[in-house]
Amino acid sequence: MRRAIALIVLSTSMLLAGCAVAVTGRATKEVPAELFDPCTLPEDALRSVNVDPATERPGFAGAQSDGWEVCAWEAEWYFLSIFTTDATLEELRARPKNTDFRSVTVGRRDAVTFRSAYEIQNDMCDLAYRTSHGTVIIRVNTKANLSPEEDPCAVSLRTAIDLDQHIPE
């Protein structure tokens, strides 16, 4: 019994000390220490992209969700939502509901725009790129009963470029 306890203690201490141990299975992804909080964007930056800072809504309809930071604002004909997640671009591409991926550039960042397969009127568009504090998704979603005044993907890209200096590398 004493030998079994000693073996357990030794095994545990080796793992805690960081000794190499062969492990089979799926690799884990690198998760950022802290996700960027889009609600920290300066009011003047929000005004510069034509949204009203006073309409700020944190979370998913006011509720927080593990693995996500979310904030949304209103513009004249659309809602702007900015999400930060620990999901990678590869994981976003692998989701069946995401479609129509197109490569774009935001400053020095490689990014993609994409749409939801369930959205048939082209009234919503997401733009995503990786940062040191998670994957940022900038969504433009046309308000109900309104028609888009311009392509939501063009608005997402312009917004991303204008806000780029306020989002972590």
Short mmCIF file of all heavy atoms in Angstrom, two decimals, residues 31-56:
data_model
loop_
_atom_site.label_atom_id
_atom_site.label_comp_id
_atom_site.label_asym_id
_atom_site.label_seq_id
_atom_site.Cartn_x
_atom_site.Cartn_y
_atom_site.Cartn_z
N VAL A 31 -5.79 29.00 -26.29
CA VAL A 31 -6.87 29.89 -25.89
C VAL A 31 -6.25 31.18 -25.35
O VAL A 31 -5.36 31.12 -24.51
CB VAL A 31 -7.77 29.23 -24.81
CG1 VAL A 31 -8.84 30.18 -24.33
CG2 VAL A 31 -8.38 27.95 -25.36
N PRO A 32 -6.69 32.34 -25.83
CA PRO A 32 -6.14 33.59 -25.32
C PRO A 32 -6.42 33.75 -23.83
O PRO A 32 -7.46 33.30 -23.33
CB PRO A 32 -6.83 34.68 -26.13
CG PRO A 32 -7.99 34.02 -26.78
CD PRO A 32 -7.75 32.55 -26.81
N ALA A 33 -5.49 34.38 -23.12
CA ALA A 33 -5.64 34.59 -21.69
C ALA A 33 -6.88 35.42 -21.38
O ALA A 33 -7.60 35.15 -20.43
CB ALA A 33 -4.39 35.25 -21.12
N GLU A 34 -7.12 36.42 -22.20
CA GLU A 34 -8.27 37.28 -21.98
C GLU A 34 -8.80 37.74 -23.33
O GLU A 34 -8.06 38.25 -24.17
CB GLU A 34 -7.83 38.49 -21.16
CG GLU A 34 -8.96 39.42 -20.77
CD GLU A 34 -8.47 40.57 -19.90
OE1 GLU A 34 -7.62 40.35 -19.04
OE2 GLU A 34 -8.94 41.69 -20.13
N LEU A 35 -10.09 37.58 -23.54
CA LEU A 35 -10.71 38.03 -24.78
C LEU A 35 -10.86 39.54 -24.77
O LEU A 35 -11.13 40.14 -23.72
CB LEU A 35 -12.08 37.38 -24.96
CG LEU A 35 -12.10 35.86 -25.16
CD1 LEU A 35 -13.53 35.35 -25.18
CD2 LEU A 35 -11.38 35.48 -26.44
N PHE A 36 -10.71 40.14 -25.93
CA PHE A 36 -10.93 41.58 -26.09
C PHE A 36 -12.39 41.90 -25.84
O PHE A 36 -13.28 41.23 -26.36
CB PHE A 36 -10.51 42.01 -27.50
CG PHE A 36 -10.95 43.38 -27.88
CD1 PHE A 36 -10.41 44.50 -27.26
CD2 PHE A 36 -11.92 43.58 -28.85
CE1 PHE A 36 -10.82 45.78 -27.60
CE2 PHE A 36 -12.34 44.85 -29.20
CZ PHE A 36 -11.78 45.95 -28.57
N ASP A 37 -12.66 42.92 -25.04
CA ASP A 37 -14.03 43.34 -24.76
C ASP A 37 -14.40 44.48 -25.69
O ASP A 37 -13.94 45.60 -25.53
CB ASP A 37 -14.16 43.78 -23.30
CG ASP A 37 -15.56 44.23 -22.93
OD1 ASP A 37 -16.46 44.22 -23.81
OD2 ASP A 37 -15.75 44.60 -21.76
N PRO A 38 -15.26 44.23 -26.69
CA PRO A 38 -15.61 45.29 -27.64
C PRO A 38 -16.35 46.46 -27.02
O PRO A 38 -16.38 47.56 -27.58
CB PRO A 38 -16.46 44.58 -28.69
CG PRO A 38 -16.88 43.30 -28.08
CD PRO A 38 -15.89 42.96 -27.02
N CYS A 39 -16.95 46.27 -25.84
CA CYS A 39 -17.64 47.38 -25.18
C CYS A 39 -16.67 48.45 -24.68
O CYS A 39 -17.10 49.52 -24.26
CB CYS A 39 -18.50 46.87 -24.02
SG CYS A 39 -19.97 45.96 -24.55
N THR A 40 -15.36 48.17 -24.77
CA THR A 40 -14.35 49.16 -24.36
C THR A 40 -13.95 50.09 -25.49
O THR A 40 -13.12 50.98 -25.29
CB THR A 40 -13.09 48.47 -23.80
OG1 THR A 40 -12.48 47.69 -24.85
CG2 THR A 40 -13.41 47.59 -22.60
N LEU A 41 -14.54 49.91 -26.68
CA LEU A 41 -14.21 50.80 -27.80
C LEU A 41 -14.60 52.23 -27.44
O LEU A 41 -15.67 52.47 -26.87
CB LEU A 41 -14.93 50.36 -29.07
CG LEU A 41 -14.40 49.08 -29.71
CD1 LEU A 41 -15.37 48.57 -30.76
CD2 LEU A 41 -13.02 49.32 -30.30
N PRO A 42 -13.75 53.21 -27.77
CA PRO A 42 -14.05 54.61 -27.43
C PRO A 42 -15.29 55.12 -28.18
O PRO A 42 -15.56 54.75 -29.32
CB PRO A 42 -12.81 55.37 -27.89
CG PRO A 42 -11.78 54.36 -28.21
CD PRO A 42 -12.46 53.05 -28.42
N GLU A 43 -16.03 55.99 -27.51
CA GLU A 43 -17.26 56.55 -28.10
C GLU A 43 -16.99 57.29 -29.40
O GLU A 43 -17.78 57.18 -30.35
CB GLU A 43 -17.96 57.47 -27.10
CG GLU A 43 -18.63 56.72 -25.98
CD GLU A 43 -19.49 57.62 -25.09
OE1 GLU A 43 -19.69 58.81 -25.43
OE2 GLU A 43 -19.96 57.11 -24.05
N ASP A 44 -15.87 58.02 -29.47
CA ASP A 44 -15.58 58.75 -30.71
C ASP A 44 -15.32 57.79 -31.87
O ASP A 44 -15.69 58.06 -33.01
CB ASP A 44 -14.43 59.75 -30.52
CG ASP A 44 -13.12 59.10 -30.12
OD1 ASP A 44 -13.15 58.04 -29.45
OD2 ASP A 44 -12.05 59.66 -30.44
N ALA A 45 -14.71 56.65 -31.59
CA ALA A 45 -14.49 55.64 -32.63
C ALA A 45 -15.82 55.06 -33.11
O ALA A 45 -16.02 54.85 -34.30
CB ALA A 45 -13.58 54.53 -32.11
N LEU A 46 -16.74 54.84 -32.17
CA LEU A 46 -18.06 54.33 -32.54
C LEU A 46 -18.82 55.33 -33.39
O LEU A 46 -19.44 54.97 -34.39
CB LEU A 46 -18.84 53.95 -31.29
CG LEU A 46 -18.26 52.79 -30.49
CD1 LEU A 46 -18.94 52.67 -29.13
CD2 LEU A 46 -18.35 51.49 -31.27
N ARG A 47 -18.76 56.60 -33.00
CA ARG A 47 -19.43 57.64 -33.80
C ARG A 47 -18.83 57.71 -35.21
O ARG A 47 -19.56 57.96 -36.17
CB ARG A 47 -19.32 58.99 -33.11
CG ARG A 47 -20.31 59.19 -32.00
CD ARG A 47 -20.30 60.64 -31.47
NE ARG A 47 -20.70 60.64 -30.10
CZ ARG A 47 -19.88 60.54 -29.04
NH1 ARG A 47 -18.59 60.48 -29.21
NH2 ARG A 47 -20.37 60.54 -27.81
N SER A 48 -17.52 57.49 -35.32
CA SER A 48 -16.86 57.58 -36.62
C SER A 48 -17.33 56.49 -37.58
O SER A 48 -17.17 56.62 -38.79
CB SER A 48 -15.34 57.53 -36.46
OG SER A 48 -14.89 56.21 -36.21
N VAL A 49 -17.90 55.40 -37.03
CA VAL A 49 -18.44 54.34 -37.90
C VAL A 49 -19.97 54.38 -37.93
O VAL A 49 -20.63 53.40 -38.28
CB VAL A 49 -17.92 52.94 -37.49
CG1 VAL A 49 -16.41 52.85 -37.68
CG2 VAL A 49 -18.33 52.57 -36.08
N ASN A 50 -20.51 55.54 -37.56
CA ASN A 50 -21.94 55.84 -37.69
C ASN A 50 -22.87 55.02 -36.80
O ASN A 50 -24.01 54.76 -37.18
CB ASN A 50 -22.38 55.70 -39.16
CG ASN A 50 -21.61 56.63 -40.05
OD1 ASN A 50 -21.42 57.79 -39.71
ND2 ASN A 50 -21.13 56.12 -41.17
N VAL A 51 -22.37 54.61 -35.62
CA VAL A 51 -23.28 53.99 -34.65
C VAL A 51 -23.41 54.91 -33.44
O VAL A 51 -22.54 55.73 -33.17
CB VAL A 51 -22.82 52.57 -34.22
CG1 VAL A 51 -22.84 51.62 -35.40
CG2 VAL A 51 -21.48 52.58 -33.54
N ASP A 52 -24.52 54.77 -32.74
CA ASP A 52 -24.80 55.60 -31.58
C ASP A 52 -24.29 54.91 -30.32
O ASP A 52 -24.82 53.86 -29.93
CB ASP A 52 -26.32 55.81 -31.48
CG ASP A 52 -26.73 56.67 -30.30
OD1 ASP A 52 -25.85 57.13 -29.53
OD2 ASP A 52 -27.95 56.89 -30.15
N PRO A 53 -23.25 55.45 -29.66
CA PRO A 53 -22.71 54.83 -28.45
C PRO A 53 -23.76 54.65 -27.35
O PRO A 53 -23.65 53.73 -26.53
CB PRO A 53 -21.61 55.80 -28.00
CG PRO A 53 -21.24 56.56 -29.21
CD PRO A 53 -22.50 56.65 -30.03
N ALA A 54 -24.78 55.49 -27.31
CA ALA A 54 -25.82 55.40 -26.28
C ALA A 54 -26.69 54.15 -26.43
O ALA A 54 -27.40 53.77 -25.50
CB ALA A 54 -26.69 56.64 -26.31
N THR A 55 -26.62 53.48 -27.59
CA THR A 55 -27.43 52.28 -27.82
C THR A 55 -26.69 50.99 -27.45
O THR A 55 -27.17 49.90 -27.75
CB THR A 55 -27.88 52.20 -29.30
OG1 THR A 55 -26.71 52.09 -30.14
CG2 THR A 55 -28.70 53.42 -29.70
N GLU A 56 -25.55 51.13 -26.81
CA GLU A 56 -24.72 49.96 -26.48
C GLU A 56 -25.51 48.90 -25.73
O GLU A 56 -26.22 49.18 -24.78
CB GLU A 56 -23.54 50.42 -25.62
CG GLU A 56 -22.63 49.28 -25.21
CD GLU A 56 -21.45 49.78 -24.41
OE1 GLU A 56 -20.63 50.55 -24.97
OE2 GLU A 56 -21.36 49.43 -23.22
#
